[in-house]
Amino acid sequence: MREVRARLQATQVEYISGKVFFTTCSDLNMLKTLKSAERLFLLIKKQLPFNVPSVSKGKIFYEMQRFISDDPESWLNAISIWKNLLELDAKKTKLSQGDANPQKRKRGENDSIIAKKLKAEQMQETQENREHQLEKPTEEETLEQGDSLTEREECQEELQNDVAKAGDILNQKDLTFRVSCRCSGAIAKTLSAQEVGRIIGIALMKQFGWKADLRNPNLEIFIHLNDIYSLMGIPVFRVSLASRAYLRTAGLRSTIAWAMASVAEIQTGAFVLDPMCGLGTILLEAAKEWPDVYYVGADVSDSQLQGACDNVKAAGLVGKIELLQVSVIELPLPSESVDIIISDIPFGKKFKLGKDIKRILQEMGRVLHVGGTIVLLLSEDHRRRLTDCEGSSFPLNSKGSHSDEPGVEKCLILEGDTCISETVSSSFEASHQECLHKMPPFGSLVPVECYKVSLGKTDAFIYKYKKSSSSGL
């Protein structure tokens, strides 16, 4: 929520169960810059969930068909917006490619220089031939200008043809589509995703005359049905936003890594350390977004550091990120020398930590200066061990007990006149407070923010700590 407001000047921002809805006037290039979102959709329709337990299967099928037939205008409006986005992006790409052709510009400049030299030589010839010789360059210049105008006209004509083709595809009945469906909660116990997709597909063919194509469609329709909402949208990009071109080897999910760096509130000139950097995903995400910072990654594993080194080279960040082979419980750094520590604590599947979590936090606390920040990704087991280590709970100060940014995995653009509150749901606030109170302070490290995030089959917690003193509470 914080990112779409800051980066896209988004309005009408709403958070519901892992999704952020918002309205924006940003173009595709700006939308591509989102770092916290897994995928981005253009919203077609959102409504209350289907009342599964109280109706028959046939009744549910009928209600799903009405999802489309009752409001075809919202579908056509969404597809028109989607088409316009693609057309504008195609125009900008064509124009930028034309402007970025230095060889053509250089040839034009050279031709102009040669023409001027010829003109100067001709002016030095005899008086009686002056008029004729002056007319010739004028004709050459006119021809050059004519060629230039012809090239621009051809470029504009190509753009118009591309736009017209795109318009024809979407205006005619030969548009092809595919339905991707996800069901969870009560409806998943009654209907499969395949059944829902088939019902929606048949309704779309009947309503608009479109054709189904599962392999290479013009349009993909995304449907998500659960106990909180029923919604449909169009993926804005075919490739997930989480797929970073600058990451050679994937480690931690890039969206989670960026979110952790964002929570850390990195400032220019800071010393940022990841003492268990693995493949370096957190450092890469941070260095791409906040470049004027000193980054150091440490790990004990040769293979992990080699992967991190390859990633740093592939991302063009050599010299921006330093890598060290050291143990997290024996960091070769002076006490209170680090501004920010960000780290994904291994969950124990590949690397066993056991009871070392306490020693790890003690060493992190030692090298962090007073007022510094630690952002950690912790498993439920980590959190339980830390709670057991401390054995008591401390009240939180009012400054650190509230945040308005949920752990986001999906984003959707909301288009239309629907008025939406820009507040986070009370259920999220309640879970946020509960999450914080379950993690007591650890020595001088006081938890100030907590976000529950999904890593697929596993849930985890992003914890933000502040160091309150050098000698403990």
Side-chain angles (χ1 to χ4, degrees):
M1 292 176 75
R2 204 149 59 200
E3 188 192 10
V4 297
R5 286 191 183 112
R7 205 185 292 271
L8 305 179
Q9 288 74 55
T11 57
Q12 296 179 295
V13 184
E14 180 191 18
Y15 166 75
I16 302 177
S17 184
K19 289 181 174 60
V20 171
F21 300 81
F22 61 92
T23 300
T24 181
C25 295
S26 299
D27 61 14
L28 285 186
N29 284 333
M30 284 304 299
L31 295 175
K32 288 174 186 175
T33 64
L34 284 176
K35 298 290 187 178
S36 59
E38 291 280 345
R39 299 195 70 189
L40 190 68
F41 299 87
L42 183 67
L43 187 65
I44 299 173
K45 196 170 184 181
K46 175 166 67 89
Q47 66 180 38
L48 294 173
F50 293 108
N51 191 10
V52 178
S54 62
V55 296
S56 65
K57 207 169 183 178
K59 178 69 173 176
I60 298 172
F61 289 167
Y62 174 71
E63 289 296 327
M64 286 183 180
Q65 290 172 342
R66 287 187 58 191
F67 204 12
I68 295 163
S69 60
D70 279 3
D71 189 15
E73 193 69 24
S74 63
W75 284 81
L76 297 176
N77 287 340
I79 290 173
S80 176
I81 293 167
W82 172 74
K83 182 188 75 169
N84 290 337
L85 279 171
L86 296 183
E87 289 173 355
L88 287 170
D89 191 54
K91 285 181 182 180
K92 288 181 179 179
T93 302
K94 284 274 190 180
L95 290 172
S96 63
Q97 287 174 350
D99 292 340
N101 193 337
Q103 291 185 349
K104 182 177 282 188
R105 286 201 304 270
K106 192 171 183 180
R107 284 198 300 269
E109 291 169 1
N110 290 339
D111 291 344
S112 178
I113 292 169
I114 292 169
K116 288 178 181 178
K117 286 182 178 179
L118 287 172
K119 185 175 179 179
E121 291 172 0
Q122 290 162 355
M123 290 178 68
Q124 293 174 1
E125 294 189 4
T126 56
Q127 182 69 30
E128 58 268 20
N129 291 331
R130 174 184 280 183
E131 183 175 349
H132 172 69
Q133 297 296 341
L134 285 173
E135 289 173 358
K136 187 175 180 181
T138 306
E139 292 171 2
E140 290 176 352
E141 288 172 0
T142 303
L143 286 172
E144 287 176 2
Q145 291 173 359
D147 290 341
S148 177
L149 288 171
T150 304
E151 288 177 4
R152 282 200 297 270
E153 288 169 355
E154 287 176 354
C155 182
Q156 289 173 354
E157 190 174 343
E158 287 177 8
L159 286 174
Q160 289 172 357
N161 289 339
D162 289 343
V163 173
K165 287 177 184 176
D168 289 343
I169 288 173
L170 291 170
N171 288 331
Q172 294 176 4
K173 289 188 176 183
D174 59 355
L175 182 145
T176 59
F177 74 97
R178 175 177 64 203
V179 177
S180 299
C181 182
R182 182 184 299 163
C183 298
S184 57
I187 197 164
K189 297 175 182 178
T190 306
L191 297 173
S192 68
Q194 289 77 14
E195 285 179 300
V196 173
R198 186 167 59 251
I199 295 163
I200 298 297
I202 292 170
L204 287 171
M205 288 189 284
K206 286 182 179 179
Q207 182 69 40
F208 301 110
W210 301 341
K211 299 174 183 176
D213 183 351
L214 300 181
R215 292 192 175 184
N216 189 29
N218 303 127
L219 181 69
E220 184 176 2
I221 306 297
F222 174 86
I223 302 170
H224 193 176
L225 307 177
N226 59 25
D227 296 335
I228 304 171
Y229 49 66
S230 300
L231 62 87
M232 295 190 184
I234 303 171
V236 179
F237 306 110
R238 288 182 181 269
V239 179
S240 168
L241 287 169
S243 301
R244 314 286 204 239
Y246 48 80
L247 278 176
R248 177 174 292 178
T249 306
L252 176 66
R253 188 179 295 180
S254 57
T255 51
I256 302 295
W258 185 92
M260 292 174 69
S262 175
V263 169
E265 299 179 277
I266 299 170
Q267 302 295 322
T268 300
F271 177 6
V272 177
L273 170 69
D274 183 349
M276 306 180 76
C277 68
L279 295 171
T281 309
I282 293 173
L283 294 173
L284 264 71
E285 289 294 310
K288 282 288 185 180
E289 186 78 16
W290 298 275
D292 299 324
V293 174
Y294 180 53
Y295 293 99
V296 173
D299 209 287
V300 293
S301 168
D302 286 330
S303 60
Q304 292 289 295
L305 280 176
Q306 185 57 56
C309 186
D310 292 342
N311 277 337
V312 169
K313 289 177 182 177
L317 293 171
V318 175
K320 295 281 187 182
I321 300 173
E322 299 291 337
L323 298 174
L324 304 174
Q325 185 170 18
V326 296
S327 170
V328 65
I329 56 177
E330 295 178 351
L331 296 172
L333 296 169
S335 298
E336 302 190 16
S337 60
V338 178
D339 298 305
I340 296 171
I341 296 174
I342 312 173
S343 195
D344 168 19
I345 307 297
F347 283 19
K349 294 180 180 179
K350 291 183 180 179
F351 306 98
K352 296 292 183 182
L353 281 180
K355 297 180 179 179
D356 283 345
I357 185 69
K358 180 178 178 181
R359 293 178 64 193
I360 289 170
L361 256 70
Q362 285 175 337
E363 181 67 353
M364 289 182 181
R366 180 188 69 80
V367 300
L368 188 70
H369 70 65
V370 176
T373 300
I374 293 183
V375 177
L376 301 176
L377 186 67
L378 302 175
S379 68
E380 180 62 51
D381 183 57
H382 291 149
R383 188 169 69 159
R384 186 168 54 251
R385 285 181 180 275
L386 286 174
T387 304
D388 292 342
C389 284
E390 192 62 30
S392 60
S393 182
F394 293 81
L396 295 172
N397 58 45
S398 59
K399 272 189 175 180
S401 63
H402 173 82
S403 169
D404 65 348
E405 183 186 10
V408 179
E409 288 190 19
K410 301 265 193 306
C411 287
L412 292 92
I413 303 173
L414 177 62
E415 297 287 348
D417 299 323
T418 309
C419 192
I420 295 172
S421 169
E422 291 202 27
T423 58
V424 183
S425 65
S426 58
S427 62
F428 169 73
E429 286 297 333
S431 64
H432 177 71
Q433 293 297 330
E434 182 185 359
C435 184
L436 275 175
H437 282 291
K438 281 186 178 180
M439 179 65 82
F442 185 84
S444 60
L445 300 177
V446 181
V448 292
E449 288 185 65
C450 172
Y451 305 104
K452 188 175 182 180
V453 294
S454 173
L455 301 177
K457 295 180 180 179
T458 308
D459 287 338
F461 302 87
I462 295 176
Y463 268 98
K464 178 179 178 180
Y465 292 86
K466 285 282 187 181
K467 184 172 179 179
S468 62
S469 68
S470 57
S471 59
L473 289 170

